[in-house]
Amino acid sequence: MEDMVRQSRWAAGLAPADVEHVLGSMQERQFARGACIARAGQLVEHWMGLIDGFAKMSVASEDGRVSTLTGVSAGVWFGEGSLFKHEARRYDVLALRPTRVALMPRRTFEWLRGTSVPFNHYLQDLLNARLSLFIGALEHERLLDTDARVANCLASLFNPDLYPDAPRFLEVGQVEIGLLANVSRQRVNVALQRLQALQLIRLEKRGLTVLDLGGLVNYKTIDTGAPPVRCA
Protein backbone atom coordinates (compact mmCIF):
# COMPACT_ATOMS: atom_id res chain seq x y z
CA MET A 1 0.00 0.00 0.00
CA GLU A 2 2.76 2.44 0.91
CA ASP A 3 4.43 2.10 -2.50
CA MET A 4 1.17 2.75 -4.31
CA VAL A 5 0.45 5.89 -2.31
CA ARG A 6 3.95 7.31 -2.71
CA GLN A 7 3.94 6.60 -6.46
CA SER A 8 0.51 8.17 -7.05
CA ARG A 9 0.60 11.46 -8.91
CA TRP A 10 -1.46 13.26 -6.27
CA ALA A 11 1.10 12.36 -3.58
CA ALA A 12 3.91 14.08 -5.50
CA GLY A 13 2.39 17.45 -4.61
CA LEU A 14 2.30 16.79 -0.86
CA ALA A 15 4.91 17.60 1.75
CA PRO A 16 6.63 14.50 3.19
CA ALA A 17 4.88 15.03 6.54
CA ASP A 18 1.51 15.13 4.80
CA VAL A 19 2.24 11.89 2.98
CA GLU A 20 3.06 10.26 6.31
CA HIS A 21 -0.19 11.61 7.77
CA VAL A 22 -2.15 10.11 4.90
CA LEU A 23 -0.42 6.73 5.21
CA GLY A 24 -1.06 6.66 8.94
CA SER A 25 -4.81 6.94 8.38
CA MET A 26 -5.14 4.26 5.71
CA GLN A 27 -5.93 0.56 5.74
CA GLU A 28 -5.37 -2.32 3.35
CA ARG A 29 -7.79 -5.17 2.63
CA GLN A 30 -7.44 -8.36 0.60
CA PHE A 31 -10.21 -9.96 -1.46
CA ALA A 32 -10.41 -13.42 -2.99
CA ARG A 33 -11.44 -14.04 -6.58
CA GLY A 34 -15.18 -13.47 -6.89
CA ALA A 35 -15.46 -11.47 -3.67
CA CYS A 36 -17.42 -8.23 -3.54
CA ILE A 37 -15.05 -5.35 -2.84
CA ALA A 38 -17.86 -2.79 -2.59
CA ARG A 39 -21.61 -3.18 -2.96
CA ALA A 40 -24.20 -0.90 -4.53
CA GLY A 41 -26.36 0.78 -1.91
CA GLN A 42 -23.67 0.89 0.75
CA LEU A 43 -22.69 4.18 2.35
CA VAL A 44 -19.30 5.25 0.95
CA GLU A 45 -16.76 6.02 3.67
CA HIS A 46 -13.47 5.40 1.82
CA TRP A 47 -11.65 6.40 -1.34
CA MET A 48 -10.26 3.18 -2.80
CA GLY A 49 -7.09 2.36 -4.71
CA LEU A 50 -6.30 -0.98 -6.33
CA ILE A 51 -2.83 -2.06 -5.19
CA ASP A 52 -2.77 -5.21 -7.29
CA GLY A 53 -5.24 -7.62 -8.84
CA PHE A 54 -8.12 -6.94 -11.20
CA ALA A 55 -11.76 -5.96 -10.63
CA LYS A 56 -14.82 -4.78 -12.48
CA MET A 57 -17.49 -2.19 -11.79
CA SER A 58 -20.99 -3.34 -12.67
CA VAL A 59 -24.66 -2.58 -12.12
CA ALA A 60 -27.54 -5.05 -11.82
CA SER A 61 -31.24 -4.74 -12.55
CA GLU A 62 -33.99 -6.02 -10.25
CA ASP A 63 -34.46 -9.08 -12.47
CA GLY A 64 -30.78 -10.05 -12.11
CA ARG A 65 -29.33 -8.76 -15.37
CA VAL A 66 -25.78 -7.42 -14.97
CA SER A 67 -24.02 -4.80 -17.05
CA THR A 68 -20.27 -4.21 -16.68
CA LEU A 69 -19.25 -0.55 -16.61
CA THR A 70 -15.46 -0.80 -16.69
CA GLY A 71 -12.45 -2.71 -15.49
CA VAL A 72 -10.21 -1.64 -12.63
CA SER A 73 -6.57 -2.67 -12.60
CA ALA A 74 -3.59 -1.87 -10.38
CA GLY A 75 -2.85 1.80 -9.76
CA VAL A 76 -6.39 3.14 -10.14
CA TRP A 77 -8.22 5.17 -7.46
CA PHE A 78 -12.01 5.15 -7.52
CA GLY A 79 -15.12 6.09 -5.57
CA GLU A 80 -14.50 9.84 -5.37
CA GLY A 81 -17.85 10.72 -6.96
CA SER A 82 -19.90 9.15 -4.18
CA LEU A 83 -17.69 10.81 -1.57
CA PHE A 84 -18.31 14.21 -3.19
CA LYS A 85 -22.08 13.75 -3.11
CA HIS A 86 -22.32 11.93 0.25
CA GLU A 87 -24.48 9.29 -1.38
CA ALA A 88 -24.68 5.51 -1.40
CA ARG A 89 -22.55 3.68 -3.96
CA ARG A 90 -24.35 3.14 -7.28
CA TYR A 91 -22.37 0.15 -8.54
CA ASP A 92 -20.81 -3.10 -7.37
CA VAL A 93 -17.06 -3.68 -7.46
CA LEU A 94 -16.19 -7.37 -7.90
CA ALA A 95 -12.71 -8.93 -7.67
CA LEU A 96 -11.99 -10.95 -10.82
CA ARG A 97 -8.82 -12.35 -9.22
CA PRO A 98 -7.16 -12.06 -5.80
CA THR A 99 -6.96 -8.33 -5.17
CA ARG A 100 -5.52 -5.90 -2.61
CA VAL A 101 -7.20 -2.57 -2.00
CA ALA A 102 -6.01 0.58 -0.20
CA LEU A 103 -8.70 2.40 1.79
CA MET A 104 -8.43 6.13 2.50
CA PRO A 105 -11.04 7.24 5.05
CA ARG A 106 -13.42 10.07 4.21
CA ARG A 107 -11.86 12.40 6.80
CA THR A 108 -8.43 12.10 5.12
CA PHE A 109 -9.94 12.52 1.67
CA GLU A 110 -11.76 15.69 2.77
CA TRP A 111 -8.64 16.99 4.51
CA LEU A 112 -6.66 16.63 1.27
CA ARG A 113 -9.41 18.37 -0.69
CA GLY A 114 -9.34 21.24 1.78
CA THR A 115 -5.58 21.69 1.97
CA SER A 116 -3.95 20.52 -1.29
CA VAL A 117 -4.36 22.28 -4.63
CA PRO A 118 -2.42 19.53 -6.48
CA PHE A 119 -4.77 16.91 -5.00
CA ASN A 120 -7.79 18.81 -6.31
CA HIS A 121 -6.17 19.16 -9.73
CA TYR A 122 -5.61 15.41 -9.73
CA LEU A 123 -9.28 14.76 -8.88
CA GLN A 124 -10.37 17.09 -11.66
CA ASP A 125 -8.19 15.28 -14.20
CA LEU A 126 -9.36 11.90 -12.88
CA LEU A 127 -13.05 12.79 -13.22
CA ASN A 128 -12.49 14.15 -16.72
CA ALA A 129 -10.66 10.96 -17.76
CA ARG A 130 -13.42 8.79 -16.30
CA LEU A 131 -16.12 10.80 -18.07
CA SER A 132 -14.28 10.40 -21.38
CA LEU A 133 -13.95 6.67 -20.71
CA PHE A 134 -17.67 6.17 -20.17
CA ILE A 135 -18.67 8.33 -23.14
CA GLY A 136 -16.29 6.30 -25.30
CA ALA A 137 -17.67 3.02 -23.92
CA LEU A 138 -21.22 4.08 -24.81
CA GLU A 139 -20.10 5.03 -28.33
CA HIS A 140 -18.29 1.72 -28.80
CA GLU A 141 -21.27 -0.29 -27.53
CA ARG A 142 -23.62 1.35 -30.03
CA LEU A 143 -21.45 1.87 -33.10
CA LEU A 144 -18.62 -0.64 -33.23
CA ASP A 145 -18.46 -4.29 -34.18
CA THR A 146 -17.30 -6.93 -31.71
CA ASP A 147 -13.63 -6.89 -32.71
CA ALA A 148 -13.49 -3.13 -32.27
CA ARG A 149 -15.26 -3.32 -28.92
CA VAL A 150 -12.68 -5.80 -27.66
CA ALA A 151 -9.84 -3.63 -29.01
CA ASN A 152 -11.19 -0.52 -27.32
CA CYS A 153 -11.88 -2.43 -24.11
CA LEU A 154 -8.20 -3.41 -23.99
CA ALA A 155 -7.09 0.11 -24.86
CA SER A 156 -9.17 1.55 -22.00
CA LEU A 157 -7.09 -0.47 -19.52
CA PHE A 158 -4.02 1.50 -20.66
CA ASN A 159 -5.60 4.96 -20.50
CA PRO A 160 -2.61 7.17 -19.53
CA ASP A 161 -4.77 9.43 -17.33
CA LEU A 162 -6.07 6.47 -15.32
CA TYR A 163 -3.08 4.11 -15.58
CA PRO A 164 -0.01 6.34 -16.06
CA ASP A 165 2.47 3.56 -15.30
CA ALA A 166 0.67 0.55 -16.74
CA PRO A 167 3.05 -2.12 -18.13
CA ARG A 168 2.32 -3.34 -21.65
CA PHE A 169 1.75 -6.87 -20.34
CA LEU A 170 -1.78 -7.40 -19.01
CA GLU A 171 -2.57 -10.46 -16.94
CA VAL A 172 -6.16 -10.96 -18.03
CA GLY A 173 -8.17 -13.92 -19.31
CA GLN A 174 -10.71 -14.19 -22.10
CA VAL A 175 -13.59 -14.55 -19.63
CA GLU A 176 -12.56 -11.31 -17.93
CA ILE A 177 -12.27 -9.47 -21.25
CA GLY A 178 -15.69 -10.78 -22.21
CA LEU A 179 -17.19 -9.40 -19.00
CA LEU A 180 -15.65 -5.99 -19.64
CA ALA A 181 -16.60 -5.83 -23.33
CA ASN A 182 -20.01 -7.47 -22.83
CA VAL A 183 -19.33 -10.20 -25.40
CA SER A 184 -19.00 -13.97 -25.13
CA ARG A 185 -15.69 -15.67 -24.34
CA GLN A 186 -15.81 -17.47 -27.71
CA ARG A 187 -16.21 -14.18 -29.56
CA VAL A 188 -13.39 -12.64 -27.50
CA ASN A 189 -11.11 -15.46 -28.64
CA VAL A 190 -11.87 -14.71 -32.31
CA ALA A 191 -11.27 -10.99 -31.79
CA LEU A 192 -7.98 -11.54 -29.98
CA GLN A 193 -6.70 -13.79 -32.75
CA ARG A 194 -7.50 -11.10 -35.31
CA LEU A 195 -5.86 -8.37 -33.24
CA GLN A 196 -2.76 -10.55 -32.90
CA ALA A 197 -2.70 -11.15 -36.67
CA LEU A 198 -2.64 -7.36 -37.10
CA GLN A 199 0.32 -7.21 -34.67
CA LEU A 200 -1.60 -5.02 -32.25
CA ILE A 201 -1.20 -7.51 -29.39
CA ARG A 202 0.74 -10.69 -28.62
CA LEU A 203 -1.11 -13.43 -26.77
CA GLU A 204 0.82 -14.87 -23.83
CA LYS A 205 0.31 -17.84 -21.54
CA ARG A 206 -1.26 -15.80 -18.75
CA GLY A 207 -2.51 -12.74 -20.60
CA LEU A 208 -1.42 -10.52 -23.45
CA THR A 209 1.12 -7.87 -24.37
CA VAL A 210 0.06 -4.69 -26.14
CA LEU A 211 2.34 -4.03 -29.12
CA ASP A 212 0.51 -1.06 -30.65
CA LEU A 213 -1.65 0.91 -28.23
CA GLY A 214 -2.47 3.54 -30.84
CA GLY A 215 -3.68 0.80 -33.16
CA LEU A 216 -6.04 -0.51 -30.48
CA VAL A 217 -7.36 2.97 -29.73
CA ASN A 218 -8.05 3.66 -33.42
CA TYR A 219 -9.49 0.24 -34.27
CA LYS A 220 -13.02 1.38 -35.07
CA THR A 221 -14.65 -0.80 -37.70
CA ILE A 222 -18.26 0.33 -38.02
CA ASP A 223 -20.78 -2.50 -37.68
CA THR A 224 -23.45 -1.11 -40.03
CA GLY A 225 -24.04 -0.85 -43.74
CA ALA A 226 -25.75 2.53 -43.53
CA PRO A 227 -23.75 5.75 -43.99
CA PRO A 228 -23.32 7.85 -40.85
CA VAL A 229 -25.80 10.68 -40.31
CA ARG A 230 -24.04 14.01 -39.84
CA CYS A 231 -25.27 17.44 -38.84
CA ALA A 232 -25.77 19.84 -41.73
Coordinates of all heavy atoms in Angstrom, one line a residue, residues 1-24 26 77 165:
M1 N 0.8 -1.2 0.0 CA 0.0 0.0 0.0 C 0.9 1.3 0.0 O 0.6 2.2 -0.7 CB -0.9 0.0 1.2 CG -1.8 1.3 1.3 SD -2.8 1.3 2.8 CE -1.6 1.5 4.1
E2 N 1.9 1.3 0.8 CA 2.8 2.4 0.9 C 3.4 2.8 -0.4 O 3.4 4.0 -0.8 CB 3.9 2.2 1.9 CG 4.8 3.4 2.1 CD 5.8 3.2 3.2 OE1 5.7 2.2 3.9 OE2 6.7 4.1 3.3
D3 N 3.8 1.8 -1.2 CA 4.4 2.1 -2.5 C 3.4 2.7 -3.4 O 3.7 3.7 -4.2 CB 5.0 0.8 -3.1 CG 6.3 0.4 -2.4 OD1 6.9 1.2 -1.7 OD2 6.6 -0.8 -2.6
M4 N 2.2 2.2 -3.4 CA 1.2 2.7 -4.3 C 0.9 4.2 -4.0 O 0.8 5.1 -4.9 CB -0.1 1.9 -4.2 CG -1.2 2.5 -5.1 SD -2.8 1.7 -4.9 CE -3.8 2.6 -6.0
V5 N 0.7 4.5 -2.7 CA 0.4 5.9 -2.3 C 1.6 6.8 -2.7 O 1.4 7.9 -3.3 CB 0.2 6.0 -0.8 CG1 0.1 7.4 -0.3 CG2 -1.1 5.3 -0.4
R6 N 2.8 6.4 -2.4 CA 4.0 7.3 -2.7 C 4.1 7.5 -4.2 O 4.6 8.5 -4.7 CB 5.2 6.7 -2.1 CG 5.2 6.7 -0.5 CD 6.6 6.4 0.0 NE 6.5 6.3 1.5 CZ 6.6 7.3 2.3 NH1 6.8 8.5 1.8 NH2 6.6 7.2 3.6
Q7 N 3.8 6.5 -5.0 CA 3.9 6.6 -6.5 C 2.8 7.3 -7.2 O 2.8 7.6 -8.4 CB 4.2 5.2 -7.0 CG 5.5 4.6 -6.6 CD 5.6 3.1 -7.0 OE1 4.7 2.6 -7.7 NE2 6.6 2.4 -6.4
S8 N 1.7 7.5 -6.4 CA 0.5 8.2 -7.0 C 0.8 9.6 -7.4 O 1.5 10.3 -6.6 CB -0.7 8.1 -6.1 OG -1.1 6.8 -5.9
R9 N 0.3 10.1 -8.5 CA 0.6 11.5 -8.9 C 0.1 12.5 -7.9 O 0.8 13.6 -7.7 CB 0.0 11.7 -10.3 CG 0.7 11.1 -11.4 CD 0.2 11.5 -12.8 NE -1.1 11.0 -13.0 CZ -1.8 11.2 -14.1 NH1 -1.4 12.0 -15.0 NH2 -3.0 10.7 -14.3
W10 N -1.0 12.3 -7.2 CA -1.5 13.3 -6.3 C -0.5 13.4 -5.1 O -0.4 14.4 -4.4 CB -2.9 12.9 -5.8 CG -3.1 11.6 -5.2 CD1 -3.5 10.4 -5.9 CD2 -2.8 11.2 -3.9 NE1 -3.6 9.4 -5.0 CE2 -3.2 9.8 -3.8 CE3 -2.4 11.8 -2.7 CZ2 -3.1 9.1 -2.6 CZ3 -2.3 11.1 -1.6 CH2 -2.6 9.7 -1.5
A11 N 0.2 12.3 -4.7 CA 1.1 12.4 -3.6 C 2.3 13.2 -3.9 O 3.0 13.7 -2.9 CB 1.5 10.9 -3.2
A12 N 2.7 13.3 -5.1 CA 3.9 14.1 -5.5 C 3.8 15.5 -5.1 O 4.8 16.2 -4.9 CB 4.2 14.0 -7.0
G13 N 2.6 16.1 -5.0 CA 2.4 17.5 -4.6 C 2.3 17.7 -3.1 O 2.0 18.8 -2.7
L14 N 2.4 16.7 -2.3 CA 2.3 16.8 -0.9 C 3.7 16.9 -0.2 O 4.7 16.3 -0.7 CB 1.6 15.6 -0.3 CG 0.1 15.3 -0.8 CD1 -0.4 14.1 -0.1 CD2 -0.8 16.5 -0.6
A15 N 3.7 17.6 0.9 CA 4.9 17.6 1.7 C 5.1 16.2 2.4 O 4.2 15.5 2.6 CB 4.8 18.6 2.9
P16 N 6.4 15.8 2.6 CA 6.6 14.5 3.2 C 5.8 14.2 4.5 O 5.3 13.1 4.6 CB 8.1 14.5 3.5 CG 8.7 15.5 2.5 CD 7.6 16.5 2.3
A17 N 5.7 15.2 5.3 CA 4.9 15.0 6.5 C 3.4 14.7 6.2 O 2.8 13.9 6.9 CB 5.0 16.3 7.4
D18 N 2.9 15.4 5.2 CA 1.5 15.1 4.8 C 1.3 13.7 4.2 O 0.3 13.1 4.5 CB 1.1 16.2 3.8 CG 1.0 17.6 4.4 OD1 0.9 17.7 5.6 OD2 1.0 18.5 3.6
V19 N 2.3 13.3 3.5 CA 2.2 11.9 3.0 C 2.2 10.9 4.1 O 1.4 9.9 4.1 CB 3.4 11.6 2.0 CG1 3.4 10.1 1.6 CG2 3.4 12.5 0.8
E20 N 3.0 11.1 5.1 CA 3.1 10.3 6.3 C 1.7 10.3 7.0 O 1.2 9.3 7.5 CB 4.2 10.7 7.3 CG 5.6 10.5 6.7 CD 5.9 9.0 6.3 OE1 5.3 8.1 7.0 OE2 6.6 8.8 5.3
H21 N 1.1 11.5 7.1 CA -0.2 11.6 7.8 C -1.2 10.8 7.0 O -2.0 10.1 7.6 CB -0.6 13.1 7.8 CG -2.0 13.3 8.3 ND1 -2.4 13.1 9.6 CD2 -3.1 13.6 7.6 CE1 -3.7 13.4 9.8 NE2 -4.2 13.7 8.6
V22 N -1.2 10.9 5.7 CA -2.2 10.1 4.9 C -1.9 8.6 5.1 O -2.9 7.9 5.4 CB -2.0 10.5 3.4 CG1 -2.8 9.5 2.5 CG2 -2.4 11.9 3.2
L23 N -0.7 8.2 5.0 CA -0.4 6.7 5.2 C -0.9 6.2 6.6 O -1.4 5.1 6.7 CB 1.1 6.5 5.0 CG 1.6 6.5 3.6 CD1 3.1 6.5 3.5 CD2 1.0 5.3 2.8
G24 N -0.7 7.1 7.6 CA -1.1 6.7 8.9 C -2.6 6.5 9.1 O -3.0 5.8 10.1
M26 N -4.6 5.2 6.7 CA -5.1 4.3 5.7 C -5.1 2.8 6.2 O -4.3 2.5 7.1 CB -4.4 4.4 4.4 CG -4.6 5.8 3.7 SD -3.8 6.0 2.1 CE -4.7 4.7 1.2
W77 N -7.4 4.7 -8.6 CA -8.2 5.2 -7.5 C -9.6 5.4 -7.9 O -9.9 5.9 -9.0 CB -7.6 6.5 -6.9 CG -6.3 6.3 -6.3 CD1 -5.1 6.4 -6.9 CD2 -6.0 6.0 -4.9 NE1 -4.1 6.1 -6.1 CE2 -4.6 5.9 -4.8 CE3 -6.8 5.8 -3.8 CZ2 -3.9 5.6 -3.6 CZ3 -6.1 5.5 -2.6 CH2 -4.7 5.4 -2.5
D165 N 1.3 4.4 -15.3 CA 2.5 3.6 -15.3 C 2.1 2.1 -15.7 O 2.9 1.2 -15.3 CB 3.1 3.6 -13.9 CG 3.5 5.0 -13.5 OD1 4.2 5.7 -14.4 OD2 3.2 5.4 -12.4

